[in-house]
Amino acid sequence: MFSSASFRQYLVASIGGLSLFVSGTSYTWATPLLPYLKKNDSEFHLTADEGSWVISLIEIGNLLPCIPAGLIADKFGRKPCLLYTTPFYILTWLFVLWYRTVPALYTMRIVQGLAMAVQFTVLPMYLAEIADSSRRGALGSLFQIMWYLGFLYEYIFGAFFGYDGLTWFSVGPPIVFMVSFYFCPESPYFLLMKERHEEATKTLAWLRGQSLEEVEPEVKTINQMIVEEKQEEASWRDVVGTAAGRKALLVILMLGIMYIMSGISTILCYISEIFGTTSGSQNEGDMATIFVGTAILLTTCLSTCLVDRLGRRPVVICSTAMAAIFLTMTSVYYYIYEKTHIDTSGYTWVPYTSILFFTTIMSIGIGAIPALQGELFPNSTRGIASGIYTLVITALSFVCLKMYQVIGDYYGYYIDYLVFAFFCACTSLYMYIFLPETKGMTFVEIQKILQGDKR
């Protein structure tokens, strides 16, 4: 049974998480439509190069505000940032329904990337600040779940509706989010930052299901945290100023590189076209895409539990090692399919199966990243380290999304999967050597391990 506090916190977190659902629908809107957009009888008839730009340009928009978004959230609030970036999705969906041109698609992707960057930066702050300590991990897991739920939404409706239908269905989620989130409270942490003590106390009392007097000790604790963080304002030099800081940053950046260069985001963006081309039937490819999207969503729901139960280190090492195996299988299949005359029509199950297992296994490994980001850095440098991490993976994601099509067209898609497998194998080895186990440890204990380079 949920207590009133549990119900209220999960309710607010779920409604706030709809902003990531909206981002997920935006990120994969082009995935089921790409085969249609490239047809000669469509109004767009995109070339392969233009199609890769439509997929990848969202990362250009995503790159620009990832650090300023945190500053804006501290000035204006978490709730307004999440609420007032959402209309950009609605306006751009209507824009591409009215203007059916390639430049309009490019513009839409860049603008939606800008809105997505704000939501990616601000939502984790909001979720962490409304939750009490016993529920913070569970509520934080909603971040990844809502993201992949947005993917699945587009995969399902994209399989049954064309350009107009899918775009209209994409207008719905941001409207639902705006209407419902309007009634949600602002973060108590932000309210106390702005010295709105009475409002913060009432909000915290409602979220905790307690009286104003009962939440007063937590209010004092948050106030003390705010004072300490103001005294410990840090710069990027503080992140790399110690051996422990440098090792922590390298571990997090390697995890980010693994996340992008494993190809999971790229494959999920092109997956409908991948399966449709392999099977020779776009309908069959769409059904396989829905199946993969469902499997990833279910695995993501379990990933937080697995990371907490098994530990961060074994989950990351095993998931990247197994991902390398499945990607190598995919690469071998595409080499035979593209470079030999061997009939592979009876073996289309190979890429289906290997990509299915790869994406589900990697979604478990990715689940360890938020936990490690919170454990390897102190409060004073965590935001800066997160900003550096976001910049690196966003820039790398743009390159990966764009070059997947280019390398596939010029050299063969087997090269793409071979590169992805190579990075997964290298990451697995790197993490075996350098990644400490942090489960159940205090920050001081983790810092000692990083300083001594022991596991």
Side-chain angles (χ1 to χ4, degrees):
M1 289 287 294
F2 275 137
S3 66
S4 61
S6 294
F7 175 77
R8 290 173 182 180
Q9 290 175 47
Y10 277 104
L11 176 65
V12 173
S14 298
I15 294 173
L18 286 174
S19 63
L20 248 291
F21 178 90
V22 172
S23 293
T25 61
S26 169
Y27 197 75
T28 49
W29 170 83
T31 300
L33 292 179
L34 198 57
Y36 160 76
L37 295 172
K38 289 182 176 181
K39 286 183 178 179
N40 289 329
D41 58 352
S42 78
E43 59 258 70
F44 298 95
H45 49 84
L46 298 179
T47 64
D49 182 62
E50 289 171 334
S52 66
W53 280 114
V54 169
I55 291 289
S56 61
L57 276 175
I58 197 166
E59 294 291 1
I60 293 295
N62 204 1
L63 181 65
L64 301 176
C66 53
I67 290 181
L71 302 175
I72 294 170
D74 282 344
K75 183 173 180 59
F76 297 104
R78 285 62 164 137
K79 181 178 176 180
C81 284
L82 293 173
L83 196 61
Y84 297 132
T85 53
T86 308
F88 288 103
Y89 291 102
I90 301 171
L91 293 173
T92 49
W93 292 134
L94 297 177
F95 179 67
V96 294
L97 282 168
W98 186 264
Y99 296 101
R100 296 167 182 264
T101 65
V102 175
L105 294 180
Y106 290 169
T107 303
M108 175 198 72
R109 297 294 280 176
I110 292 172
V111 172
Q112 290 187 351
L114 293 169
M116 185 187 302
V118 175
Q119 292 170 332
F120 256 82
T121 303
V122 178
L123 181 62
M125 300 165 66
Y126 182 78
L127 294 179
E129 291 167 4
I130 64 167
D132 58 40
S133 57
S134 64
R135 300 180 181 89
R136 195 164 292 140
L139 295 187
S141 67
L142 284 170
F143 186 92
Q144 205 74 7
I145 291 170
M146 285 295 187
W147 173 244
Y148 285 127
L149 190 61
F151 280 36
L152 184 59
Y153 181 90
E154 295 295 301
Y155 290 165
I156 292 173
F157 285 108
F160 299 103
F161 296 90
Y163 180 90
D164 287 343
L166 182 60
T167 307
W168 278 115
F169 271 108
S170 299
V171 173
I175 295 175
V176 172
F177 167 71
M178 288 184 66
V179 172
S180 56
F181 192 63
Y182 177 81
F183 298 98
C184 289
E186 176 58 276
S187 154
Y189 184 94
F190 171 77
L191 294 173
L192 288 171
M193 280 178 61
K194 298 301 179 182
E195 300 181 355
R196 293 155 63 179
H197 187 279
E198 183 178 351
E199 190 177 348
T201 304
K202 289 180 179 178
T203 298
L204 202 59
W206 184 83
L207 287 169
R208 302 294 184 262
Q210 297 176 334
S211 67
L212 298 179
E213 292 76 17
E214 287 175 319
V215 298
E216 195 59 41
E218 186 174 356
V219 170
K220 291 179 180 178
T221 300
I222 296 173
N223 266 323
Q224 183 61 34
M225 288 172 55
I226 293 170
V227 171
E228 290 175 357
E229 287 175 6
K230 286 181 179 179
Q231 292 173 346
E232 297 177 3
E233 287 186 1
S235 70
W236 66 271
R237 293 182 182 85
D238 296 307
V239 178
V240 297
T242 64
R246 289 190 293 272
K247 289 175 185 176
L249 184 62
L250 280 174
V251 166
I252 287 297
L253 290 181
M254 279 299 296
L255 284 170
I257 292 170
M258 171 271 292
Y259 170 38
I260 300 302
M261 292 307 299
S262 71
I264 185 168
S265 295
T266 302
I267 290 170
L268 291 176
C269 281
Y270 286 98
I271 192 168
S272 185
E273 186 177 46
I274 291 168
F275 285 162
T277 302
T278 302
S279 66
S281 167
Q282 191 55 52
N283 287 335
E284 184 179 330
D286 288 338
M287 293 302 104
T289 298
I290 293 172
F291 185 77
V292 168
T294 304
I296 292 173
L297 180 61
L298 294 175
T299 307
T300 302
C301 292
L302 296 173
S303 65
T304 301
C305 176
L306 292 174
V307 167
D308 286 338
R309 183 177 294 271
L310 301 178
R312 289 73 162 124
R313 188 169 184 271
V315 164
V316 170
I317 293 170
C318 291
S319 64
T320 49
M322 294 176 69
I325 295 171
F326 291 121
L327 286 167
T328 302
M329 289 172 56
T330 310
S331 178
V332 170
Y333 172 86
Y334 277 105
Y335 177 81
I336 296 171
Y337 176 77
E338 294 170 338
K339 300 298 181 181
T340 73
H341 299 291
I342 299 173
D343 182 13
T344 59
S345 59
Y347 298 93
T348 54
W349 60 269
V350 173
Y352 284 178
T353 305
S354 57
I355 289 176
L356 169 64
F357 280 106
F358 157 69
T359 51
T360 52
I361 287 293
M362 278 304 297
S363 66
I364 296 174
I366 291 167
I369 295 178
L372 286 165
Q373 280 182 304
E375 292 167 340
L376 294 177
F377 299 95
N379 288 339
S380 58
T381 61
R382 190 174 297 140
I384 297 169
S386 179
I388 295 171
Y389 169 85
T390 303
L391 279 173
V392 170
I393 67 166
T394 303
L396 197 58
S397 181
F398 167 73
V399 173
C400 202
L401 287 171
K402 176 60 183 168
M403 294 306 295
Y404 175 84
Q405 186 78 53
V406 175
I407 292 172
D409 288 344
Y410 282 92
Y411 303 104
Y413 287 99
Y414 76 96
I415 295 289
D416 285 311
Y417 295 101
L418 194 61
V419 171
F420 295 154
F422 172 77
F423 273 94
C424 283
C426 290
T427 302
S428 184
L429 179 61
Y430 181 91
M431 294 303 161
Y432 178 79
I433 298 171
F434 295 107
L435 179 63
E437 180 53 74
T438 60
K439 184 184 74 168
M441 292 187 179
T442 66
F443 177 72
V444 173
E445 291 171 334
I446 294 169
Q447 291 298 294
K448 288 180 179 178
I449 292 174
L450 289 172
Q451 291 283 9
D453 199 20
K454 298 174 183 176
R455 291 189 295 273

